[in-house]
Amino acid sequence: MFRLLVLVHRYLGIAVGFIVALWFLSGLVMMYVQYPELDEREYLAGLPAIDTSDCCVANHDVLDQLHGVDELSVEMLAGQPVLHARFGHDPSLLVDLNNGSWYRSIDQETAMQQADAYFAAAGIGGEARFLTQLVRDQWTVAGDYDAHRPLYLLAADDNSGVQVYVSGLTGQVVLVTSGSERFWNWFGAVTHWIYPTALRRNAALWSQVVIWLSIAGLFLVSVGLYLGIRQFRFRAIGSKSPYRGLNLWHHYAGLIFGLVTLTWLFSGLVSMNPWGVFEGDGGIAERSRLAGRAISAAEVTGVVAALNDASLPAGTVRLASSIVDSTLAILAQDANGEVTRLDKQSLKAEPLPDAVWQRLPGLVLPETPVLEAGVIETEDDYYYSHHDEVRLPVYRIIFDDAGQTRYYFDVRTAALIEKFDRSRQRYRWFFLGLHRGDLSPLMRRRPLWDLILLPLMLGATLAAITGVWMGYRRLTRQD
């Protein structure tokens, strides 16, 4: 049996060890360079202020077709205000507010104007230079961009390497990447996630490939750890290891860092949510109950009509609908992410009623006792900053149900930010906790986090690389 395990470890290491080594090498890069994405703060920072000087036409023939819409927003598109209306997860419908008609299709010239506006607002030099129109590429392969395809890719004409992707359906900027991000991510996330476009575009196949490679890696390291301990344990007194040279380095590195390697491979497997074990529902039902209803055509018309005489808060770059407990309000957002809640008819400032917070638990989880509810000013074990930065304060509710489900709400709007049911709580500890070292506030502090993670990563990388080299020598009969 021992000889069989040696052979299994050797030849499985030749087949899978290279992938494990790449995971650790790319993990080192990912500690410092994240995969490109455009968060809300970056998006708002690139929007020009809304100009309603020539606005707005409330065309009933058009707006009546928006009855039952779930979301509304107003932004500038190529120098003029437009209304975005979304039904569920469908692509947004666009209304030109200057004339009240459906917005024309997003062409190359419109995309270039939108990119120019983004560059100017975000402080990026140069004018937009058209590169290509595409359906997907390495940085937009995920399903998050499906509602915006095809995409226009444009670059800042100042040699900075900044590129933007503009939606071919909504005209919105959906992603901004820098040259350094794109370069390092080939060695980071693209390698770590096994993320080439040709594979990732088939989400189901990609998921199964990563899951089974993770399981194979777990088996490889488990067998290796057992063999390493057995070889060390049964040597004669005074002998430290039966191996010499590179084999000695692999033996000791595997013994010292084998457990942490298993931990990272297991938590990486968890990140793929194998067979739905760690899948939460994302709070879809709660958001629906929190809103209570959709937006009527009369309300859409009222909001558009109110824009004619509105004096919006200074620096407003986006207006967005917000429905809480069946009450519609309009949120005015500026480039810094600050929000002013407005009355839907007058578009004057109207703070969120205090009564909302008393009704909130019953709206989210009816007939469920509350364990704790209130505003928190500091991060906790589930709502915290890591590579990103969470907004504080937030309103937190912890219910006294089987999983002690917890919810986090924006104190300015009562919008649901995060939900952690039992599945998501497990995911938080078994993936984020084990894989990223998010076990406590102390461990997340930098540079302490780096000082803890880097030696562990380097040690596990050493074990993997020496194993790969040993496998290569075996294949080329140099050992």
Side-chain angles (χ1 to χ4, degrees), residues 15 63 65 71 91 94 99 101 107 111 126 141 149 151 154 170-171 189 244 254 326 345 358 382 412 428 463:
L63 300 183
Q65 298 179 52
E71 297 177 20
L94 299 184
N99 56 34
S101 64
D107 56 19
V141 68
R149 307 187 199 280
L151 303 168
L154 306 104
T170 68
R244 296 294 180 268
S326 297
Q345 294 178 326
Q358 282 72 48
Y382 294 92
R412 305 164 301 176
R428 180 263 178 273

Side-chain angles (χ1 to χ4, degrees), residues 173-435:
V173 173
V174 296
L175 181 64
V176 180
T177 69
S178 67
S180 61
E181 276 182 325
R182 296 191 300 274
F183 174 80
W184 285 110
N185 266 282
W186 286 108
F187 304 98
V190 175
T191 299
H192 197 78
W193 297 341
I194 313 178
Y195 220 64
T197 306
L199 175 62
R200 180 56 182 86
R201 66 190 303 169
N202 187 332
L205 175 61
W206 167 75
S207 177
Q208 291 301 308
V209 167
V210 177
I211 286 173
W212 287 106
L213 281 175
S214 299
I215 291 173
L218 279 168
F219 183 69
L220 168 67
V221 177
S222 299
V223 171
L225 191 58
Y226 167 76
L227 294 176
I229 293 173
R230 187 181 186 279
Q231 287 290 79
F232 189 83
R233 178 183 299 173
F234 291 104
R235 299 306 300 169
I237 296 176
S239 178
K240 297 179 180 179
S241 173
Y243 304 110
R244 296 294 180 268
L246 190 68
N247 293 19
L248 178 66
W249 282 96
H250 183 68
H251 188 199
Y252 278 145
L255 285 174
I256 297 171
F257 298 101
L259 187 58
V260 73
T261 301
L262 282 175
T263 298
W264 274 325
L265 289 173
F266 170 73
S267 55
L269 174 63
V270 170
S271 74
M272 298 303 298
N273 186 27
W275 309 290
V277 175
F278 298 93
E279 185 174 13
D281 60 20
I284 297 175
E286 287 86 345
R287 286 184 171 86
S288 178
R289 289 195 294 266
L290 185 61
R293 63 179 180 86
I295 303 171
S296 69
E299 288 175 317
V300 176
T301 302
V303 170
V304 173
L307 286 171
N308 283 294
D309 303 316
S311 178
L312 300 176
T316 298
V317 299
R318 187 171 189 262
L319 298 173
S321 62
S322 170
I323 305 183
V324 177
D325 197 13
S326 297
T327 300
L328 174 65
I330 303 298
L331 306 178
Q333 300 172 287
D334 67 16
N336 297 317
E338 297 302 318
V339 174
T340 303
R341 187 176 182 273
L342 309 177
D343 176 79
K344 68 177 182 180
Q345 294 178 326
S346 66
L347 295 185
K348 301 295 184 182
E350 182 184 61
L352 190 69
D354 291 337
V356 167
W357 303 112
Q358 282 72 48
R359 289 183 50 79
L360 206 57
L363 294 173
V364 175
L365 277 186
E367 301 179 3
T368 305
V370 174
L371 190 63
E372 178 186 324
V375 175
I376 59 172
E377 303 280 349
T378 58
E379 301 173 3
D380 64 11
D381 286 338
Y382 294 92
Y383 186 77
Y384 59 87
S385 302
H386 184 72
H387 290 297
D388 54 355
E389 185 175 349
V390 298
R391 183 181 295 276
L392 289 167
V394 292
Y395 192 87
R396 181 182 67 186
I397 303 177
I398 304 176
F399 285 92
D400 191 16
D401 58 357
Q404 291 194 354
T405 306
R406 52 180 63 208
Y407 299 85
Y408 299 84
F409 300 87
D410 191 318
V411 295
R412 305 164 301 176
T413 65
L416 177 58
I417 301 172
E418 294 279 2
K419 171 190 176 182
F420 286 90
D421 55 15
R422 178 173 288 178
S423 293
R424 291 299 296 177
Q425 290 172 23
R426 291 170 179 163
Y427 182 87
R428 180 263 178 273
W429 293 112
F430 288 130
F431 171 55
L432 298 178
L434 296 179
H435 208 70

Side-chain angles (χ1 to χ4, degrees), residues 121-197:
I124 300 171
E127 296 182 350
R129 174 168 52 90
F130 177 76
L131 296 180
T132 187
Q133 186 181 27
L134 51 88
V135 175
R136 62 176 53 82
D137 66 0
Q138 183 59 66
W139 316 115
T140 58
V141 68
D144 300 342
Y145 300 96
D146 287 348
H148 295 283
R149 307 187 199 280
L151 303 168
Y152 291 97
L153 177 60
L154 306 104
D157 194 16
D158 64 351
N159 298 319
S160 66
V162 174
Q163 295 181 355
V164 301
Y165 294 78
V166 175
S167 169
L169 297 182
T170 68
Q172 296 168 303
V173 173
V174 296
L175 181 64
V176 180
T177 69
S178 67
S180 61
E181 276 182 325
R182 296 191 300 274
F183 174 80
W184 285 110
N185 266 282
W186 286 108
F187 304 98
V190 175
T191 299
H192 197 78
W193 297 341
I194 313 178
Y195 220 64
T197 306

